[in-house]
Amino acid sequence: MNSFASEWANWLPERRCALNESIIELNAENFEAEVLQSEQPVLVDFWAEWCAPCRMLAPTIDEIAENYSGRVKVGKLNVDDCGAIAARYQIRGIPTILVFSGGEVHEQMVGASSKENIIRMVDKVAATEATA
């Protein structure tokens, strides 16, 4: 195993299920209340444990959750555990980020992206929410 693969393998177990306090672990039981009925905009990260780009995006999602705490909810939904919800939103590739406001999808991004692009997307929805 080369050094990059070795470092990646060592890093993976620590990140696998480590949701920070600002991130809501979404599932079939709480999706409606936490996302669709939320009074705040909600960023939902559709991911899976086996998805390398999802793992690479995780620190960015963590940082956004901390920086937007109190203004925007951030949740992660494991597509392997919640396939019906992923199907409802036609999630065909992961990572996929949807930003909900008023129970509807307002922004969508498929694939790993830069923190700046995700922030721009969240700010757009949050600004619209603030003027509504």
Side-chain angles (χ1 to χ4, degrees):
M1 186 182 307
N2 65 34
S3 65
F4 174 77
S6 176
E7 288 176 33
W8 183 258
N10 289 335
W11 176 79
L12 176 60
E14 297 170 12
R15 297 295 309 166
R16 184 168 285 163
C17 294
L19 295 181
N20 79 32
E21 295 171 3
S22 302
I23 296 178
I24 301 162
E25 187 172 356
L26 297 169
N27 55 51
E29 288 77 37
N30 68 3
F31 189 83
E32 174 116 7
E34 294 289 355
V35 178
L36 301 181
Q37 296 176 2
S38 177
E39 294 187 12
Q40 295 177 312
V42 184
L43 179 152
V44 179
D45 176 19
F46 290 81
W47 71 288
E49 287 186 27
W50 50 263
C51 169
C54 299
R55 292 190 306 265
M56 291 187 315
L57 191 60
T60 298
I61 300 299
D62 289 348
E63 188 174 333
I64 289 170
E66 290 175 18
N67 291 342
Y68 283 82
S69 181
R71 295 180 290 153
V72 175
K73 284 185 182 181
V74 176
K76 294 178 76 71
L77 186 132
N78 186 320
V79 298
D80 289 335
D81 296 339
C82 302
I85 295 172
R88 180 185 329 161
Y89 294 99
Q90 300 177 0
I91 305 302
R92 306 223 188 287
I94 54 173
T96 292
I97 295 173
L98 301 182
V99 182
F100 290 79
S101 181
E104 297 185 13
V105 176
H106 284 262
E107 292 290 325
Q108 177 175 337
M109 184 176 295
V110 179
S113 187
S114 70
K115 179 171 72 173
E116 292 76 21
N117 286 341
I118 298 169
I119 287 172
R120 196 171 311 126
M121 185 173 67
V122 171
D123 284 345
K124 182 177 174 184
V125 174
T128 303
E129 182 86 7
T131 60

